[in-house]
Structures are given as structure tokens and as C-alpha cells.
Amino acid sequence: MMAGHMTAGTYSRDHIADVLTKVKLPSCYRIIPRRLLDTPLGAAPADSRFCSKAHGHAVLYTTPDFATAFIEVIVRDRFTRKRQREILLKEVTERAWIQAATKPRSALNLLDLRNDGCVRLGAPTDAVNARSHAAGRSLSRIIHDEHKNVDGFLFASRLTGADIYAVFDRAIDKLDVEDSGDLVNHPELPDVLRHHKISLIVHE
């Protein structure tokens, strides 16, 4: 390897370049607590696929597919080996949805980890495919700290297969909110509940 092609970290600049793509974010959904509607693009370090409280950087997740946003935030794996598919109504009424996109003259530099992206990068496929988030957090920490030109990741949801954009906190100012509303009133919600045979209940 020629001098200058390697960083101090695990991933070479050449491999980063192979999967780095400039993306103008389409209208994408994010589901948040209603109390946070005043700061709809706010993000804080929290345990998730590409983020941990321990490391310090935050990641904002968003997807063009409303159903995927709902499944990723509220459903997850909660119905595994369960006959009843029930969600408390308050889990919906206490949340809101927003739609965000990149600002007109902005674009995101994302590592495309869909399809063979992890193989091309040299990252473990568990980073995007495993139920455990350990590999994803390790990858994110290295990329965030050692490749400042990278704004985050584009990957396929483990739960639905749809595209998800994971945006580092340092790039959130490239986004604008286009629309928002109460989750319970979103026009696509009834179809999502029906498709996944989910019932909303008032009490457990």
C-alpha cells in the first residue's frame, strides 16, 4: 500500500472511497416523542445500531418508507414467537412523525453498506445485519473519529429491507424539516397496522 493511502484506523481511504456516495436525501421519515417536536432534528448519544451512550457522538436515523420507520422505532422484534400482536395506544399517541430532506444546496457523504458494501469496505456484515449492535457501534466509532469527510451510513433495514440513512450529528445541519404531525393521525398508519396484523389496545 502506498504511503498516505491508510489512515491511523482500520479502514483504508481506498476502501472508504469504494463505498462513499454523495446523496441528496429524499423526503424521509423520522418518528420521535411528541414532546420533542420543537427540536425535530435533535439527536443525542443513545444506544442504537451505530451509536452508543459511551462513545459520545449522536446518529439520526431516517427512511423514505413510513412503514419501516414505524417498525424500526416501535415494533422491532417484540412479536417474535408471540401469537398476539398488540401495541399500547399510548405508544402511538405519544409520538409524532417528521419528514426531512437535505437542504437544496447540500448533500450527504455516506458509506453505502447495502448489498456487498460491507465486503467492499472490509467491515463485518454484522454491522448492518445482526440483531446485536456491537459491530455497528464499533464501525461507527472508527468512521466518525477517523474519516471526517464521512457523514454517516446508508444501509438496508434488517427488519424490512428498506433503505435507512444514518446521519452523524456533525452533518445534521445539512437537513431541513419539510412536514410533521401526530403519529396517530398519519394516513399510512392504518395500512401498516393491518398489513402486520397489529392491534392497538388501551390497557395491557
Side-chain angles (χ1 to χ4, degrees):
M1 183 69 68
M2 292 177 62
H5 281 216
M6 293 293 291
T7 70
T10 306
Y11 301 100
S12 73
R13 292 193 183 98
D14 286 345
H15 293 166
I16 292 288
D18 280 345
V19 294
L20 188 64
T21 182
K22 189 174 288 291
V23 177
K24 292 193 72 68
L25 203 71
S27 292
C28 286
Y29 285 101
R30 184 187 193 203
I31 292 176
I32 61 174
R34 289 183 71 249
R35 68 179 188 276
L36 300 180
L37 269 176
D38 288 341
T39 54
L41 294 178
D47 291 337
S48 65
R49 178 164 298 279
F50 293 116
C51 183
S52 70
K53 292 178 182 178
H55 182 239
H57 77 275
V59 176
L60 183 151
Y61 299 88
T62 185
T63 172
D65 182 54
F66 173 79
T68 294
F70 185 85
I71 297 297
E72 284 280 346
V73 172
I74 297 177
V75 177
R76 302 295 300 166
D77 295 296
R78 67 194 293 170
F79 297 139
T80 301
R81 293 187 293 277
K82 290 187 177 180
R83 298 181 65 180
Q84 296 294 324
R85 292 171 166 250
E86 297 177 337
I87 290 174
L88 288 174
L89 177 61
K90 70 177 183 179
E91 294 186 63
V92 176
T93 57
E94 292 178 354
R95 287 184 166 97
W97 60 269
I98 70 162
Q99 274 185 297
T102 44
K103 294 176 180 177
R105 296 183 180 181
S106 296
L108 297 171
N109 297 309
L110 303 179
L111 298 185
D112 188 349
L113 302 184
R114 298 170 300 176
N115 302 314
D116 65 348
C118 285
V119 177
R120 294 170 66 197
L121 178 61
T125 56
D126 277 359
V128 294
N129 294 326
R131 185 171 180 176
S132 168
H133 294 163
R137 292 173 185 175
S138 176
L139 170 65
S140 182
R141 182 175 65 251
I142 294 170
I143 298 300
H144 179 273
D145 290 355
E146 300 176 1
H147 296 275
K148 304 298 185 182
N149 62 315
V150 177
D151 294 328
F153 306 100
L154 170 57
F155 68 105
S157 167
R158 175 180 67 87
L159 301 171
T160 71
D163 288 349
I164 297 178
Y165 300 86
V167 183
F168 290 152
D169 45 11
R170 63 185 176 217
I172 291 175
D173 62 358
K174 296 182 178 182
L175 306 181
D176 261 343
V177 175
E178 297 181 324
D179 201 359
S180 65
D182 291 339
L183 180 57
V184 71
N185 295 326
H186 194 280
E188 293 185 47
L189 180 61
D191 286 342
V192 173
L193 297 175
R194 186 163 43 250
H195 179 74
H196 292 281
K197 299 180 173 60
I198 297 171
S199 299
L200 298 180
I201 59 173
V202 177
H203 301 291
E204 288 186 298

